[in-house]
Amino acid sequence: MTESPGSVPYPQPYGAAPAPAAARSRRRWPLALALVAVLLVVLAGVGVVVVRPGPVAGWLGAASAPPASARAAEPDPSAVLAGPDANAPLPTPEGVRAALDPLTRAAVLGDRVNISVADVSTGTALYGSGQDTPTVPASVTKLATAVAVLEARGPAYRIPTRAVAGPNPGEVVLVGGGDPSLAVNNHGFYPGAARLDDLAAQVRTALGGTAPTRVIVDSSLFTGPVYEPGWDADIPTGGFGAPITALMTDGARRDPETARKTADQTNHAAERVPQPDLAAGRQFARLLGLTGDAVAVQRGKAPAAGPSATAGAPAPGAELGKVESLPLIRLVDIMISDSDNVIAECMARQVALARNKPASFAGGAAATDEVIGELGLPAAEISLADGSGLSRTNRISPSLLTDLLTLAGNGSHPELGAIFGGLPVGGWSGTLDERYQATATKAGAGMVRAKTGTLTGVNAIAGLVTTADGRLLTFAVLTDRTPPDTLDETRQALDRISSALAGCGCR
């Protein structure tokens, strides 16, 4: 079983970053009080309206954007509410233990409940039970993928999709760069995505009087299997996964327009095509005006880079056009808010490429582990096989997750604050939309912002919660031995834990 999440508004980080600390001991970091001001959207109508200040405008392309013809349009940012009070009283470990101990023993959580709670502004560990034990994280894995790709590539990076001249006049090679959101036209699944029809227009101009005759697909940037061996057998057919190739449109959805219209807050499943790169190539061939047998594209390699296209027939390898994805800061937001597994796998491969590793499941996992270690986090407590969390062989400790969220929120790495914008909000959005409704969990509604993870027998949640005194905490609860047929009860038991933190000062 896989989870099926939804979307959430898009707050952004700000604040001056302190000088990064050199060597940080486990959960005793000298963290600055500068916090992400919009780590939590509070549903009560109080607070100061905040828009995206600081470095975010530059990440979105305000400073050195590519030409308008080569990049997707950006929607206007949404205003959000300000965050909690960083000077609020700090809970005590004794107070947190008194609140949580009885809740962690709920039978529906199974016999392995590993949990970590820490304070964001100081990094102080407040509660732990099996906190350093690597556990199956399911989709909570996406938090590690997000941090790794933002650190390795940077929030402003855009993934290119290129067209170059083939070896013979009129031949066009469509070169995939790993953009999972690429659309065919303005009816795509992802708003503002780069489009093949724009690329086709550039190609026709660059070819001048030479008519397109054939399209070759180069999806060789990604290597290895297109499905991870640790995935459940129903992933390829269940609508939440797809073959991971360097060239695809709309996350490999067969009918993206219908998928977009029918997707709701909790269900983004859709039928996927079995060969996404060839499907994209056929669409591109049609956009170039090819018909009949000429639409039957085949895979190949782009010729070595030649000079830029000029008037007349361009030389083999000459670039005929390029479009670029939304910046990574926005792809990461979509990945987390929608729990988009295909975007997650492509983000992991971007980490691999940035670290000169093979752009494969194994390469992405190894590169993510490497970046986690470079950030001063305990890499021994993370072992990944994929970037989405669909693999049951993934392992992450709860304390690594709270360390990771603390690092992203303490201001020392402002580029990492983008992970918070997509986190679902309790009782409001995404996978938490219909949760925190019961009397025992109402305190968490609007106070919890977290990523969930679900596989059969695995239920996890990790994120942020504001206490009754206004203190911002990070928490992670991972369970990977839950009883069968207790999904709703297990989720409510998890919600009681974060709701207990929201409802008390825990002092």
Side-chain angles (χ1 to χ4, degrees):
M1 177 178 180
T2 57
E3 66 177 358
S4 48
S7 58
V8 69
Y10 186 67
Q12 289 299 334
Y14 80 96
R24 297 181 176 88
S25 61
R26 159 72 84 177
R27 286 172 294 285
R28 288 196 174 98
W29 302 336
L31 305 180
L33 293 180
L35 296 174
V36 177
V38 288
L39 294 181
L40 187 66
V41 173
V42 182
L43 291 181
V46 296
V48 180
V49 173
V50 179
V51 293
R52 300 185 230 196
V56 179
W59 296 338
L60 291 172
S64 57
S69 61
R71 62 184 176 91
E74 296 289 345
D76 291 334
S78 301
V80 296
L81 299 179
D85 180 9
N87 296 314
L90 176 68
T92 66
E94 295 77 17
V96 175
R97 183 166 296 280
L100 298 191
D101 263 354
L103 302 177
T104 62
R105 293 192 288 268
V108 292
L109 293 176
D111 61 5
R112 190 156 91 144
V113 184
N114 296 329
I115 180 170
S116 175
V117 179
D119 178 61
V120 173
S121 65
T122 65
T124 301
L126 298 173
Y127 183 86
S129 176
Q131 68 271 24
D132 297 334
T133 303
T135 313
V136 182
S139 277
V140 172
T141 302
K142 293 181 177 71
L143 294 176
T145 301
V147 163
V149 75
L150 290 168
E151 180 66 19
R153 281 296 201 200
Y157 184 79
R158 295 173 185 258
I159 303 169
T161 302
R162 301 167 51 243
V164 304
N168 300 303
E171 290 182 339
V172 179
V173 184
L174 181 60
V175 184
D179 176 10
S181 64
L182 181 68
V184 176
N185 49 38
N186 63 353
H187 299 298
F189 185 82
Y190 301 99
R195 291 161 41 180
L196 283 180
D197 58 353
D198 289 338
L199 183 59
Q202 295 178 44
V203 169
R204 287 193 296 270
T205 299
L207 288 177
T210 303
T213 59
R214 180 184 176 214
V215 169
I216 300 168
V217 167
D218 185 349
S219 56
S220 61
L221 184 66
F222 290 0
T223 60
V226 297
Y227 296 112
E228 207 284 313
W231 288 2
D232 288 352
D234 65 343
I235 296 302
T237 58
F240 292 102
I244 307 302
T245 59
L247 177 65
M248 64 174 70
T249 56
D250 300 295
R253 290 169 178 83
R254 186 178 294 278
D255 186 352
E257 188 172 5
T258 298
R260 177 168 49 84
K261 291 177 179 177
T262 57
D264 60 28
Q265 291 280 9
T266 59
N267 191 349
H268 283 262
E271 184 181 0
R272 314 287 173 141
V273 297
Q275 297 178 310
D277 53 346
L278 295 182
R282 287 191 291 271
Q283 294 278 15
F284 190 60
R286 294 186 183 99
L287 291 168
L288 289 176
L290 301 180
T291 58
D293 292 342
V295 176
V297 300
Q298 64 183 50
R299 296 184 181 96
K301 290 277 289 182
S308 300
T310 57
E319 185 172 286
L320 304 177
K322 179 175 73 172
V323 293
E324 295 183 327
S325 73
L326 295 164
L328 288 190
I329 188 175
R330 294 184 64 84
L331 292 178
V332 164
D333 181 59
I334 296 168
M335 174 184 73
I336 293 177
S337 65
D338 292 355
S339 202
D340 193 308
N341 296 311
V342 175
I343 288 183
E345 297 305 343
C346 291
M347 293 300 97
R349 282 158 175 76
Q350 290 299 323
V351 183
L353 292 168
R355 289 295 184 267
N356 297 313
K357 296 184 184 298
S360 62
F361 284 106
T368 298
D369 290 358
E370 182 177 293
V371 172
I372 294 295
E374 291 171 359
L375 288 169
L377 301 173
E381 294 178 19
I382 182 171
S383 175
L384 299 181
D386 68 15
S388 64
L390 290 175
S391 177
R392 292 180 177 273
T393 61
N394 290 331
R395 297 291 185 274
I396 304 178
S397 73
S399 59
L400 175 60
L401 289 166
T402 53
D403 284 354
L404 181 152
L405 289 163
T406 298
L407 185 66
N410 68 28
S412 63
H413 290 265
E415 71 279 4
L416 303 184
I419 70 171
F420 299 118
L423 288 177
V425 176
W428 184 27
S429 62
T431 49
L432 300 182
D433 180 38
E434 297 180 357
R435 292 167 65 165
Y436 298 91
Q437 304 293 329
T439 301
T441 61
K442 281 271 186 192
M447 297 295 128
V448 173
R449 178 182 282 272
K451 181 75 192 77
T452 59
T454 307
L455 296 168
T456 302
V458 178
N459 289 273
I461 186 168
L464 306 164
V465 59
T466 299
T467 71
D469 290 333
R471 193 78 184 191
L472 186 67
L473 308 180
T474 178
F475 70 96
V477 189
L478 306 184
T479 67
D480 58 9
R481 295 178 187 167
T482 58
D485 304 320
T486 61
L487 178 59
D488 290 342
E489 294 84 354
T490 299
R491 285 175 170 172
Q492 191 166 115
L494 289 174
D495 296 347
R496 287 194 189 101
I497 293 172
S498 51
S499 294
L501 294 171
C504 77
C506 296
R507 291 181 288 138

